[in-house]
Amino acid sequence: MSTPPFARRTSHLGLSRPSIGAAEIDELLDAIRSGWLTTGPKVATLEQRLAAYLGVEHVRCLASCTAGLSLALRVGGIEPGDEVLLPAMTFVSCANAVVHLGATPVLVDSDRETGHMDLDHALSRVGPRTRALMPVHLAGHPVDMDRLNAFRDRHGLFVVEDAAHAIGARWGGHAVGAHGNLTAFSFHATKNMTTFEGGALVVGDVDTAARVQRLALHGLSRSAWSRHGSASPALYEVDEPGFKYAMHDISAAVGIHQLRRLDGWIERRRQLADAYDERLAALPLELPPRPPAHSRHAHHLYMVRLGHDAPIDRDAVLVRLMQANIGASVHFKPVHWYRYYAGLTGLRPGDLPVADDLARRSLSLPLFPSMSEADLDDVSAVLHAALA
Ligand SMILES: *Cc1c(COP(=O)(O)O)cnc(C)c1O
């Protein structure tokens, strides 16, 4: 193999890296020293701060975004035999959440420009059993919420937004999460803010918020924290069986400070995305689309697509980056490319032509707030050597 015309980095440049500062660590130690490790006061604080940040009334913190998607479908009333429309181009946990309720995921093709769920194709997939729609704010690029909610209302569906990539994104002057739908966020270690593992679900009313909280803790009508210090004995009930989906205070301690820093990080991510756009403009790449001026991209991922005229294919580019000690990734392997879902849906590669095409040509480049211009130059040099 010929020697590549760029230096291999001595240190690995990963796709993402969390920023955990002294404030996070101090608060985390405070949680540990307080003796209250599980769901308690720091979770309550993070829920209040998230509600204020998003401009919504009711947020419940959970063990993951996946837990949020599952509970959202459940409180939305999804039952066995129901159909849920979701984009093929998403993380497989969306489809798993539907299947675990005995419902059927109906996969929708991608919009060629944004990579979002194509609502024209979704229209052709609506049937008498269609109950819900699960759009994904892919890469942090906000979905057009005006069109989405109009589609929802026209067909009498309810919407569960997968905002795993989109904490901090905005559409039409409102945060993603504040457009009247159940919305799930992820605070997994690779996302725009982290609680190590964790997530949050926005719900519309106080009764649903209480139900989500119960379902996240075995179905118990009172949490351990609300019983703590109370004089009454254990007067709690189970009206429906729940799960073990609660966030703990150790995680929330970190999240409280991550949230304070989030807007600054998104601004840094935007600068890096702009710098990538400049460096890569001359290459046979399709650069990430930008949303309209009234909105805000959360810049979770910097996803490019190889042009049809590129001299080598996407996987060869990934290998070149790996050889240079640079991590890159693919978002996503479409749901119907997994064996289980190919079997369940009967879809084959080619049946959702846009998603299939984007899946073969997309790659996500390193992007995180502590990334330097020199890191970015290293990525750019590899791509220039591979593609120019
Ligand atoms: C990360 C991710 C999830 C799952 O988030 P968890 O918090 O790990 O459950 C769901 N959907 C998308 C689009 C994701 O990227």
Side-chain angles (χ1 to χ4, degrees), residues 63-67 69 90-91 93-94 136 162 164-165 185-188 190-191 197-199 300 331-332:
S64 67
C65 177
T66 303
L69 297 170
T90 187
F91 188 51
S93 71
C94 297
V136 178
D162 179 338
H165 297 175
F185 295 98
S186 177
F187 308 136
H188 178 261
T190 59
K191 304 290 160 82
E197 293 280 4
H300 173 55
H331 295 90
F332 290 95

mmCIF file with all atom_site columns, all heavy atoms in Angstrom, residues 63-67 69 90-91 93-94 136 162 164-165 185-188 190-191 197-199 300 331-332, ligand 1:
data_model
loop_
_atom_site.group_PDB
_atom_site.id
_atom_site.type_symbol
_atom_site.label_atom_id
_atom_site.label_alt_id
_atom_site.label_comp_id
_atom_site.label_asym_id
_atom_site.label_entity_id
_atom_site.label_seq_id
_atom_site.pdbx_PDB_ins_code
_atom_site.Cartn_x
_atom_site.Cartn_y
_atom_site.Cartn_z
_atom_site.occupancy
_atom_site.B_iso_or_equiv
_atom_site.pdbx_formal_charge
_atom_site.auth_seq_id
_atom_site.auth_comp_id
_atom_site.auth_asym_id
_atom_site.auth_atom_id
_atom_site.pdbx_PDB_model_num
ATOM   1   N N   . ALA A 1 63  ? -33.739 7.344  32.456 1.00 0.00 ? 63  ALA A N   1
ATOM   2   C CA  . ALA A 1 63  ? -32.468 6.636  32.335 1.00 0.00 ? 63  ALA A CA  1
ATOM   3   C C   . ALA A 1 63  ? -31.851 6.770  30.943 1.00 0.00 ? 63  ALA A C   1
ATOM   4   O O   . ALA A 1 63  ? -30.642 6.598  30.782 1.00 0.00 ? 63  ALA A O   1
ATOM   5   C CB  . ALA A 1 63  ? -32.672 5.162  32.673 1.00 0.00 ? 63  ALA A CB  1
ATOM   6   N N   . SER A 1 64  ? -32.664 7.062  29.938 1.00 0.00 ? 64  SER A N   1
ATOM   7   C CA  . SER A 1 64  ? -32.162 7.180  28.570 1.00 0.00 ? 64  SER A CA  1
ATOM   8   C C   . SER A 1 64  ? -33.230 7.821  27.694 1.00 0.00 ? 64  SER A C   1
ATOM   9   O O   . SER A 1 64  ? -34.397 7.914  28.086 1.00 0.00 ? 64  SER A O   1
ATOM   10  C CB  . SER A 1 64  ? -31.802 5.798  27.996 1.00 0.00 ? 64  SER A CB  1
ATOM   11  O OG  . SER A 1 64  ? -32.969 5.021  27.833 1.00 0.00 ? 64  SER A OG  1
ATOM   12  N N   . CYS A 1 65  ? -32.816 8.202  26.508 1.00 0.00 ? 65  CYS A N   1
ATOM   13  C CA  . CYS A 1 65  ? -33.768 8.663  25.492 1.00 0.00 ? 65  CYS A CA  1
ATOM   14  C C   . CYS A 1 65  ? -34.667 7.513  25.070 1.00 0.00 ? 65  CYS A C   1
ATOM   15  O O   . CYS A 1 65  ? -35.866 7.688  24.857 1.00 0.00 ? 65  CYS A O   1
ATOM   16  C CB  . CYS A 1 65  ? -32.988 9.196  24.287 1.00 0.00 ? 65  CYS A CB  1
ATOM   17  S SG  . CYS A 1 65  ? -33.995 9.741  22.907 1.00 0.00 ? 65  CYS A SG  1
ATOM   18  N N   . THR A 1 66  ? -34.079 6.323  24.977 1.00 0.00 ? 66  THR A N   1
ATOM   19  C CA  . THR A 1 66  ? -34.863 5.149  24.584 1.00 0.00 ? 66  THR A CA  1
ATOM   20  C C   . THR A 1 66  ? -36.003 4.915  25.565 1.00 0.00 ? 66  THR A C   1
ATOM   21  O O   . THR A 1 66  ? -37.137 4.615  25.154 1.00 0.00 ? 66  THR A O   1
ATOM   22  C CB  . THR A 1 66  ? -33.939 3.918  24.499 1.00 0.00 ? 66  THR A CB  1
ATOM   23  O OG1 . THR A 1 66  ? -32.895 4.214  23.578 1.00 0.00 ? 66  THR A OG1 1
ATOM   24  C CG2 . THR A 1 66  ? -34.684 2.688  24.045 1.00 0.00 ? 66  THR A CG2 1
ATOM   25  N N   . ALA A 1 67  ? -35.723 5.057  26.866 1.00 0.00 ? 67  ALA A N   1
ATOM   26  C CA  . ALA A 1 67  ? -36.781 4.937  27.873 1.00 0.00 ? 67  ALA A CA  1
ATOM   27  C C   . ALA A 1 67  ? -37.853 5.990  27.615 1.00 0.00 ? 67  ALA A C   1
ATOM   28  O O   . ALA A 1 67  ? -39.053 5.716  27.736 1.00 0.00 ? 67  ALA A O   1
ATOM   29  C CB  . ALA A 1 67  ? -36.191 5.099  29.273 1.00 0.00 ? 67  ALA A CB  1
ATOM   30  N N   . LEU A 1 69  ? -38.657 7.409  24.672 1.00 0.00 ? 69  LEU A N   1
ATOM   31  C CA  . LEU A 1 69  ? -39.437 7.043  23.479 1.00 0.00 ? 69  LEU A CA  1
ATOM   32  C C   . LEU A 1 69  ? -40.451 5.963  23.833 1.00 0.00 ? 69  LEU A C   1
ATOM   33  O O   . LEU A 1 69  ? -41.614 6.020  23.419 1.00 0.00 ? 69  LEU A O   1
ATOM   34  C CB  . LEU A 1 69  ? -38.498 6.551  22.364 1.00 0.00 ? 69  LEU A CB  1
ATOM   35  C CG  . LEU A 1 69  ? -37.492 7.570  21.820 1.00 0.00 ? 69  LEU A CG  1
ATOM   36  C CD1 . LEU A 1 69  ? -36.476 6.879  20.911 1.00 0.00 ? 69  LEU A CD1 1
ATOM   37  C CD2 . LEU A 1 69  ? -38.198 8.683  21.067 1.00 0.00 ? 69  LEU A CD2 1
ATOM   38  N N   . THR A 1 90  ? -32.777 6.268  11.097 1.00 0.00 ? 90  THR A N   1
ATOM   39  C CA  . THR A 1 90  ? -32.704 6.631  12.511 1.00 0.00 ? 90  THR A CA  1
ATOM   40  C C   . THR A 1 90  ? -31.996 5.533  13.269 1.00 0.00 ? 90  THR A C   1
ATOM   41  O O   . THR A 1 90  ? -31.646 4.492  12.705 1.00 0.00 ? 90  THR A O   1
ATOM   42  C CB  . THR A 1 90  ? -34.103 6.876  13.120 1.00 0.00 ? 90  THR A CB  1
ATOM   43  O OG1 . THR A 1 90  ? -33.959 7.382  14.453 1.00 0.00 ? 90  THR A OG1 1
ATOM   44  C CG2 . THR A 1 90  ? -34.917 5.587  13.173 1.00 0.00 ? 90  THR A CG2 1
ATOM   45  N N   . PHE A 1 91  ? -31.782 5.776  14.551 1.00 0.00 ? 91  PHE A N   1
ATOM   46  C CA  . PHE A 1 91  ? -31.190 4.755  15.408 1.00 0.00 ? 91  PHE A CA  1
ATOM   47  C C   . PHE A 1 91  ? -32.243 3.681  15.658 1.00 0.00 ? 91  PHE A C   1
ATOM   48  O O   . PHE A 1 91  ? -33.438 3.980  15.774 1.00 0.00 ? 91  PHE A O   1
ATOM   49  C CB  . PHE A 1 91  ? -30.733 5.400  16.721 1.00 0.00 ? 91  PHE A CB  1
ATOM   50  C CG  . PHE A 1 91  ? -29.938 4.476  17.594 1.00 0.00 ? 91  PHE A CG  1
ATOM   51  C CD1 . PHE A 1 91  ? -28.848 3.778  17.102 1.00 0.00 ? 91  PHE A CD1 1
ATOM   52  C CD2 . PHE A 1 91  ? -30.278 4.318  18.932 1.00 0.00 ? 91  PHE A CD2 1
ATOM   53  C CE1 . PHE A 1 91  ? -28.120 2.929  17.919 1.00 0.00 ? 91  PHE A CE1 1
ATOM   54  C CE2 . PHE A 1 91  ? -29.551 3.475  19.754 1.00 0.00 ? 91  PHE A CE2 1
ATOM   55  C CZ  . PHE A 1 91  ? -28.474 2.776  19.248 1.00 0.00 ? 91  PHE A CZ  1
ATOM   56  N N   . SER A 1 93  ? -33.178 2.076  18.095 1.00 0.00 ? 93  SER A N   1
ATOM   57  C CA  . SER A 1 93  ? -33.972 2.072  19.334 1.00 0.00 ? 93  SER A CA  1
ATOM   58  C C   . SER A 1 93  ? -35.383 2.614  19.099 1.00 0.00 ? 93  SER A C   1
ATOM   59  O O   . SER A 1 93  ? -36.315 2.236  19.810 1.00 0.00 ? 93  SER A O   1
ATOM   60  C CB  . SER A 1 93  ? -33.271 2.856  20.451 1.00 0.00 ? 93  SER A CB  1
ATOM   61  O OG  . SER A 1 93  ? -33.295 4.232  20.202 1.00 0.00 ? 93  SER A OG  1
ATOM   62  N N   . CYS A 1 94  ? -35.574 3.480  18.106 1.00 0.00 ? 94  CYS A N   1
ATOM   63  C CA  . CYS A 1 94  ? -36.918 3.995  17.787 1.00 0.00 ? 94  CYS A CA  1
ATOM   64  C C   . CYS A 1 94  ? -37.828 2.841  17.381 1.00 0.00 ? 94  CYS A C   1
ATOM   65  O O   . CYS A 1 94  ? -38.963 2.729  17.857 1.00 0.00 ? 94  CYS A O   1
ATOM   66  C CB  . CYS A 1 94  ? -36.849 4.996  16.633 1.00 0.00 ? 94  CYS A CB  1
ATOM   67  S SG  . CYS A 1 94  ? -35.898 6.474  16.984 1.00 0.00 ? 94  CYS A SG  1
ATOM   68  N N   . VAL A 1 136 ? -37.352 12.462 13.518 1.00 0.00 ? 136 VAL A N   1
ATOM   69  C CA  . VAL A 1 136 ? -36.025 12.526 14.146 1.00 0.00 ? 136 VAL A CA  1
ATOM   70  C C   . VAL A 1 136 ? -35.334 13.810 13.688 1.00 0.00 ? 136 VAL A C   1
ATOM   71  O O   . VAL A 1 136 ? -35.223 14.052 12.481 1.00 0.00 ? 136 VAL A O   1
ATOM   72  C CB  . VAL A 1 136 ? -35.174 11.299 13.751 1.00 0.00 ? 136 VAL A CB  1
ATOM   73  C CG1 . VAL A 1 136 ? -33.788 11.383 14.371 1.00 0.00 ? 136 VAL A CG1 1
ATOM   74  C CG2 . VAL A 1 136 ? -35.872 10.010 14.154 1.00 0.00 ? 136 VAL A CG2 1
ATOM   75  N N   . ASP A 1 162 ? -38.103 12.395 18.280 1.00 0.00 ? 162 ASP A N   1
ATOM   76  C CA  . ASP A 1 162 ? -36.801 11.916 18.733 1.00 0.00 ? 162 ASP A CA  1
ATOM   77  C C   . ASP A 1 162 ? -35.826 13.083 18.588 1.00 0.00 ? 162 ASP A C   1
ATOM   78  O O   . ASP A 1 162 ? -35.375 13.401 17.485 1.00 0.00 ? 162 ASP A O   1
ATOM   79  C CB  . ASP A 1 162 ? -36.350 10.721 17.895 1.00 0.00 ? 162 ASP A CB  1
ATOM   80  C CG  . ASP A 1 162 ? -34.972 10.198 18.320 1.00 0.00 ? 162 ASP A CG  1
ATOM   81  O OD1 . ASP A 1 162 ? -34.206 10.969 18.939 1.00 0.00 ? 162 ASP A OD1 1
ATOM   82  O OD2 . ASP A 1 162 ? -34.662 9.040  18.011 1.00 0.00 ? 162 ASP A OD2 1
ATOM   83  N N   . ALA A 1 164 ? -32.890 13.208 20.208 1.00 0.00 ? 164 ALA A N   1
ATOM   84  C CA  . ALA A 1 164 ? -31.625 12.731 20.793 1.00 0.00 ? 164 ALA A CA  1
ATOM   85  C C   . ALA A 1 164 ? -30.448 13.609 20.363 1.00 0.00 ? 164 ALA A C   1
ATOM   86  O O   . ALA A 1 164 ? -29.492 13.786 21.109 1.00 0.00 ? 164 ALA A O   1
ATOM   87  C CB  . ALA A 1 164 ? -31.373 11.280 20.396 1.00 0.00 ? 164 ALA A CB  1
ATOM   88  N N   . HIS A 1 165 ? -30.541 14.173 19.143 1.00 0.00 ? 165 HIS A N   1
ATOM   89  C CA  . HIS A 1 165 ? -29.447 14.999 18.618 1.00 0.00 ? 165 HIS A CA  1
ATOM   90  C C   . HIS A 1 165 ? -29.697 16.488 18.826 1.00 0.00 ? 165 HIS A C   1
ATOM   91  O O   . HIS A 1 165 ? -28.893 17.298 18.375 1.00 0.00 ? 165 HIS A O   1
ATOM   92  C CB  . HIS A 1 165 ? -29.305 14.778 17.105 1.00 0.00 ? 165 HIS A CB  1
ATOM   93  C CG  . HIS A 1 165 ? -28.931 13.384 16.711 1.00 0.00 ? 165 HIS A CG  1
ATOM   94  N ND1 . HIS A 1 165 ? -28.860 12.973 15.411 1.00 0.00 ? 165 HIS A ND1 1
ATOM   95  C CD2 . HIS A 1 165 ? -28.587 12.314 17.462 1.00 0.00 ? 165 HIS A CD2 1
ATOM   96  C CE1 . HIS A 1 165 ? -28.506 11.691 15.359 1.00 0.00 ? 165 HIS A CE1 1
ATOM   97  N NE2 . HIS A 1 165 ? -28.349 11.267 16.594 1.00 0.00 ? 165 HIS A NE2 1
ATOM   98  N N   . PHE A 1 185 ? -35.214 13.521 24.652 1.00 0.00 ? 185 PHE A N   1
ATOM   99  C CA  . PHE A 1 185 ? -33.814 13.941 24.489 1.00 0.00 ? 185 PHE A CA  1
ATOM   100 C C   . PHE A 1 185 ? -32.886 12.865 25.033 1.00 0.00 ? 185 PHE A C   1
ATOM   101 O O   . PHE A 1 185 ? -33.257 12.126 25.946 1.00 0.00 ? 185 PHE A O   1
ATOM   102 C CB  . PHE A 1 185 ? -33.557 15.243 25.258 1.00 0.00 ? 185 PHE A CB  1
ATOM   103 C CG  . PHE A 1 185 ? -34.328 16.421 24.733 1.00 0.00 ? 185 PHE A CG  1
ATOM   104 C CD1 . PHE A 1 185 ? -35.510 16.817 25.333 1.00 0.00 ? 185 PHE A CD1 1
ATOM   105 C CD2 . PHE A 1 185 ? -33.875 17.132 23.632 1.00 0.00 ? 185 PHE A CD2 1
ATOM   106 C CE1 . PHE A 1 185 ? -36.236 17.897 24.859 1.00 0.00 ? 185 PHE A CE1 1
ATOM   107 C CE2 . PHE A 1 185 ? -34.595 18.221 23.140 1.00 0.00 ? 185 PHE A CE2 1
ATOM   108 C CZ  . PHE A 1 185 ? -35.765 18.608 23.754 1.00 0.00 ? 185 PHE A CZ  1
ATOM   109 N N   . SER A 1 186 ? -31.673 12.819 24.508 1.00 0.00 ? 186 SER A N   1
ATOM   110 C CA  . SER A 1 186 ? -30.657 11.893 25.026 1.00 0.00 ? 186 SER A CA  1
ATOM   111 C C   . SER A 1 186 ? -29.500 12.665 25.640 1.00 0.00 ? 186 SER A C   1
ATOM   112 O O   . SER A 1 186 ? -29.028 13.653 25.063 1.00 0.00 ? 186 SER A O   1
ATOM   113 C CB  . SER A 1 186 ? -30.097 11.016 23.907 1.00 0.00 ? 186 SER A CB  1
ATOM   114 O OG  . SER A 1 186 ? -29.063 10.187 24.426 1.00 0.00 ? 186 SER A OG  1
ATOM   115 N N   . PHE A 1 187 ? -29.049 12.170 26.797 1.00 0.00 ? 187 PHE A N   1
ATOM   116 C CA  . PHE A 1 187 ? -27.843 12.714 27.435 1.00 0.00 ? 187 PHE A CA  1
ATOM   117 C C   . PHE A 1 187 ? -26.771 11.635 27.528 1.00 0.00 ? 187 PHE A C   1
ATOM   118 O O   . PHE A 1 187 ? -25.984 11.583 28.470 1.00 0.00 ? 187 PHE A O   1
ATOM   119 C CB  . PHE A 1 187 ? -28.181 13.285 28.822 1.00 0.00 ? 187 PHE A CB  1
ATOM   120 C CG  . PHE A 1 187 ? -29.335 14.255 28.824 1.00 0.00 ? 187 PHE A CG  1
ATOM   121 C CD1 . PHE A 1 187 ? -30.317 14.191 29.804 1.00 0.00 ? 187 PHE A CD1 1
ATOM   122 C CD2 . PHE A 1 187 ? -29.431 15.242 27.853 1.00 0.00 ? 187 PHE A CD2 1
ATOM   123 C CE1 . PHE A 1 187 ? -31.385 15.087 29.818 1.00 0.00 ? 187 PHE A CE1 1
ATOM   124 C CE2 . PHE A 1 187 ? -30.502 16.140 27.852 1.00 0.00 ? 187 PHE A CE2 1
ATOM   125 C CZ  . PHE A 1 187 ? -31.476 16.061 28.830 1.00 0.00 ? 187 PHE A CZ  1
ATOM   126 N N   . HIS A 1 188 ? -26.786 10.736 26.541 1.00 0.00 ? 188 HIS A N   1
ATOM   127 C CA  . HIS A 1 188 ? -25.726 9.724  26.414 1.00 0.00 ? 188 HIS A CA  1
ATOM   128 C C   . HIS A 1 188 ? -24.378 10.437 26.250 1.00 0.00 ? 188 HIS A C   1
ATOM   129 O O   . HIS A 1 188 ? -24.332 11.588 25.812 1.00 0.00 ? 188 HIS A O   1
ATOM   130 C CB  . HIS A 1 188 ? -26.056 8.873  25.173 1.00 0.00 ? 188 HIS A CB  1
ATOM   131 C CG  . HIS A 1 188 ? -25.052 7.827  24.871 1.00 0.00 ? 188 HIS A CG  1
ATOM   132 N ND1 . HIS A 1 188 ? -24.075 7.982  23.917 1.00 0.00 ? 188 HIS A ND1 1
ATOM   133 C CD2 . HIS A 1 188 ? -24.864 6.606  25.412 1.00 0.00 ? 188 HIS A CD2 1
ATOM   134 C CE1 . HIS A 1 188 ? -23.325 6.885  23.876 1.00 0.00 ? 188 HIS A CE1 1
ATOM   135 N NE2 . HIS A 1 188 ? -23.787 6.039  24.774 1.00 0.00 ? 188 HIS A NE2 1
ATOM   136 N N   . THR A 1 190 ? -22.092 10.602 24.167 1.00 0.00 ? 190 THR A N   1
ATOM   137 C CA  . THR A 1 190 ? -21.670 11.196 22.891 1.00 0.00 ? 190 THR A CA  1
ATOM   138 C C   . THR A 1 190 ? -22.537 12.380 22.466 1.00 0.00 ? 190 THR A C   1
ATOM   139 O O   . THR A 1 190 ? -22.235 13.009 21.451 1.00 0.00 ? 190 THR A O   1
ATOM   140 C CB  . THR A 1 190 ? -21.754 10.148 21.761 1.00 0.00 ? 190 THR A CB  1
ATOM   141 O OG1 . THR A 1 190 ? -23.116 9.692  21.682 1.00 0.00 ? 190 THR A OG1 1
ATOM   142 C CG2 . THR A 1 190 ? -20.834 8.965  22.016 1.00 0.00 ? 190 THR A CG2 1
ATOM   143 N N   . LYS A 1 191 ? -23.594 12.709 23.198 1.00 0.00 ? 191 LYS A N   1
ATOM   144 C CA  . LYS A 1 191 ? -24.549 13.714 22.709 1.00 0.00 ? 191 LYS A CA  1
ATOM   145 C C   . LYS A 1 191 ? -24.115 15.141 23.103 1.00 0.00 ? 191 LYS A C   1
ATOM   146 O O   . LYS A 1 191 ? -23.104 15.322 23.765 1.00 0.00 ? 191 LYS A O   1
ATOM   147 C CB  . LYS A 1 191 ? -25.953 13.377 23.223 1.00 0.00 ? 191 LYS A CB  1
ATOM   148 C CG  . LYS A 1 191 ? -26.403 11.958 22.824 1.00 0.00 ? 191 LYS A CG  1
ATOM   149 C CD  . LYS A 1 191 ? -26.688 11.800 21.319 1.00 0.00 ? 191 LYS A CD  1
ATOM   150 C CE  . LYS A 1 191 ? -26.654 10.375 20.819 1.00 0.00 ? 191 LYS A CE  1
ATOM   151 N NZ  . LYS A 1 191 ? -27.834 9.566  21.005 1.00 0.00 ? 191 LYS A NZ  1
ATOM   152 N N   . GLU A 1 197 ? -25.179 8.413  31.072 1.00 0.00 ? 197 GLU A N   1
ATOM   153 C CA  . GLU A 1 197 ? -26.344 7.822  30.419 1.00 0.00 ? 197 GLU A CA  1
ATOM   154 C C   . GLU A 1 197 ? -27.529 8.625  30.937 1.00 0.00 ? 197 GLU A C   1
ATOM   155 O O   . GLU A 1 197 ? -27.541 9.016  32.110 1.00 0.00 ? 197 GLU A O   1
ATOM   156 C CB  . GLU A 1 197 ? -26.537 6.348  30.809 1.00 0.00 ? 197 GLU A CB  1
ATOM   157 C CG  . GLU A 1 197 ? -25.470 5.404  30.309 1.00 0.00 ? 197 GLU A CG  1
ATOM   158 C CD  . GLU A 1 197 ? -25.629 4.994  28.844 1.00 0.00 ? 197 GLU A CD  1
ATOM   159 O OE1 . GLU A 1 197 ? -26.546 5.508  28.172 1.00 0.00 ? 197 GLU A OE1 1
ATOM   160 O OE2 . GLU A 1 197 ? -24.829 4.165  28.392 1.00 0.00 ? 197 GLU A OE2 1
ATOM   161 N N   . GLY A 1 198 ? -28.526 8.859  30.110 1.00 0.00 ? 198 GLY A N   1
ATOM   162 C CA  . GLY A 1 198 ? -29.692 9.571  30.607 1.00 0.00 ? 198 GLY A CA  1
ATOM   163 C C   . GLY A 1 198 ? -30.495 10.157 29.480 1.00 0.00 ? 198 GLY A C   1
ATOM   164 O O   . GLY A 1 198 ? -30.068 10.159 28.318 1.00 0.00 ? 198 GLY A O   1
ATOM   165 N N   . GLY A 1 199 ? -31.660 10.650 29.829 1.00 0.00 ? 199 GLY A N   1
ATOM   166 C CA  . GLY A 1 199 ? -32.512 11.278 28.846 1.00 0.00 ? 199 GLY A CA  1
ATOM   167 C C   . GLY A 1 199 ? -33.605 12.054 29.550 1.00 0.00 ? 199 GLY A C   1
ATOM   168 O O   . GLY A 1 199 ? -33.664 12.101 30.783 1.00 0.00 ? 199 GLY A O   1
ATOM   169 N N   . HIS A 1 300 ? -25.142 18.771 16.317 1.00 0.00 ? 300 HIS A N   1
ATOM   170 C CA  . HIS A 1 300 ? -24.663 17.583 17.028 1.00 0.00 ? 300 HIS A CA  1
ATOM   171 C C   . HIS A 1 300 ? -23.674 16.795 16.173 1.00 0.00 ? 300 HIS A C   1
ATOM   172 O O   . HIS A 1 300 ? -22.636 16.348 16.662 1.00 0.00 ? 300 HIS A O   1
ATOM   173 C CB  . HIS A 1 300 ? -25.848 16.697 17.437 1.00 0.00 ? 300 HIS A CB  1
ATOM   174 C CG  . HIS A 1 300 ? -25.409 15.401 18.013 1.00 0.00 ? 300 HIS A CG  1
ATOM   175 N ND1 . HIS A 1 300 ? -24.545 15.339 19.090 1.00 0.00 ? 300 HIS A ND1 1
ATOM   176 C CD2 . HIS A 1 300 ? -25.671 14.116 17.658 1.00 0.00 ? 300 HIS A CD2 1
ATOM   177 C CE1 . HIS A 1 300 ? -24.319 14.059 19.377 1.00 0.00 ? 300 HIS A CE1 1
ATOM   178 N NE2 . HIS A 1 300 ? -24.973 13.319 18.528 1.00 0.00 ? 300 HIS A NE2 1
ATOM   179 N N   . HIS A 1 331 ? -24.146 7.644  10.371 1.00 0.00 ? 331 HIS A N   1
ATOM   180 C CA  . HIS A 1 331 ? -25.468 7.826  10.995 1.00 0.00 ? 331 HIS A CA  1
ATOM   181 C C   . HIS A 1 331 ? -26.527 7.855  9.919  1.00 0.00 ? 331 HIS A C   1
ATOM   182 O O   . HIS A 1 331 ? -26.667 8.849  9.254  1.00 0.00 ? 331 HIS A O   1
ATOM   183 C CB  . HIS A 1 331 ? -25.517 9.125  11.797 1.00 0.00 ? 331 HIS A CB  1
ATOM   184 C CG  . HIS A 1 331 ? -24.593 9.128  12.956 1.00 0.00 ? 331 HIS A CG  1
ATOM   185 N ND1 . HIS A 1 331 ? -23.294 9.564  12.878 1.00 0.00 ? 331 HIS A ND1 1
ATOM   186 C CD2 . HIS A 1 331 ? -24.771 8.719  14.232 1.00 0.00 ? 331 HIS A CD2 1
ATOM   187 C CE1 . HIS A 1 331 ? -22.714 9.449  14.058 1.00 0.00 ? 331 HIS A CE1 1
ATOM   188 N NE2 . HIS A 1 331 ? -23.579 8.941  14.899 1.00 0.00 ? 331 HIS A NE2 1
ATOM   189 N N   . PHE A 1 332 ? -27.201 6.795  9.692  1.00 0.00 ? 332 PHE A N   1
ATOM   190 C CA  . PHE A 1 332 ? -27.179 5.563  10.423 1.00 0.00 ? 332 PHE A CA  1
ATOM   191 C C   . PHE A 1 332 ? -27.130 4.422  9.442  1.00 0.00 ? 332 PHE A C   1
ATOM   192 O O   . PHE A 1 332 ? -27.355 4.612  8.258  1.00 0.00 ? 332 PHE A O   1
ATOM   193 C CB  . PHE A 1 332 ? -28.459 5.425  11.273 1.00 0.00 ? 332 PHE A CB  1
ATOM   194 C CG  . PHE A 1 332 ? -28.524 6.366  12.433 1.00 0.00 ? 332 PHE A CG  1
ATOM   195 C CD1 . PHE A 1 332 ? -29.198 7.577  12.314 1.00 0.00 ? 332 PHE A CD1 1
ATOM   196 C CD2 . PHE A 1 332 ? -27.907 6.053  13.635 1.00 0.00 ? 332 PHE A CD2 1
ATOM   197 C CE1 . PHE A 1 332 ? -29.261 8.453  13.391 1.00 0.00 ? 332 PHE A CE1 1
ATOM   198 C CE2 . PHE A 1 332 ? -27.982 6.916  14.701 1.00 0.00 ? 332 PHE A CE2 1
ATOM   199 C CZ  . PHE A 1 332 ? -28.642 8.116  14.587 1.00 0.00 ? 332 PHE A CZ  1
HETATM 200 C C1  . LIG B 2 .   ? -28.532 8.198  20.735 1.00 0.00 ? 1   LIG B C1  1
HETATM 201 C C2  . LIG B 2 .   ? -29.838 8.088  20.048 1.00 0.00 ? 1   LIG B C2  1
HETATM 202 C C3  . LIG B 2 .   ? -30.950 7.489  20.667 1.00 0.00 ? 1   LIG B C3  1
HETATM 203 C C4  . LIG B 2 .   ? -30.858 6.744  21.960 1.00 0.00 ? 1   LIG B C4  1
HETATM 204 O O1  . LIG B 2 .   ? -30.426 7.508  23.017 1.00 0.00 ? 1   LIG B O1  1
HETATM 205 P P1  . LIG B 2 .   ? -30.150 6.780  24.422 1.00 0.00 ? 1   LIG B P1  1
HETATM 206 O O2  . LIG B 2 .   ? -30.124 7.888  25.416 1.00 0.00 ? 1   LIG B O2  1
HETATM 207 O O3  . LIG B 2 .   ? -28.830 6.090  24.272 1.00 0.00 ? 1   LIG B O3  1
HETATM 208 O O4  . LIG B 2 .   ? -31.252 5.813  24.660 1.00 0.00 ? 1   LIG B O4  1
HETATM 209 C C5  . LIG B 2 .   ? -32.165 7.547  20.016 1.00 0.00 ? 1   LIG B C5  1
HETATM 210 N N1  . LIG B 2 .   ? -32.296 8.128  18.810 1.00 0.00 ? 1   LIG B N1  1
HETATM 211 C C6  . LIG B 2 .   ? -31.257 8.678  18.177 1.00 0.00 ? 1   LIG B C6  1
HETATM 212 C C7  . LIG B 2 .   ? -31.480 9.351  16.854 1.00 0.00 ? 1   LIG B C7  1
HETATM 213 C C8  . LIG B 2 .   ? -29.981 8.653  18.757 1.00 0.00 ? 1   LIG B C8  1
HETATM 214 O O5  . LIG B 2 .   ? -28.942 9.174  18.112 1.00 0.00 ? 1   LIG B O5  1
#
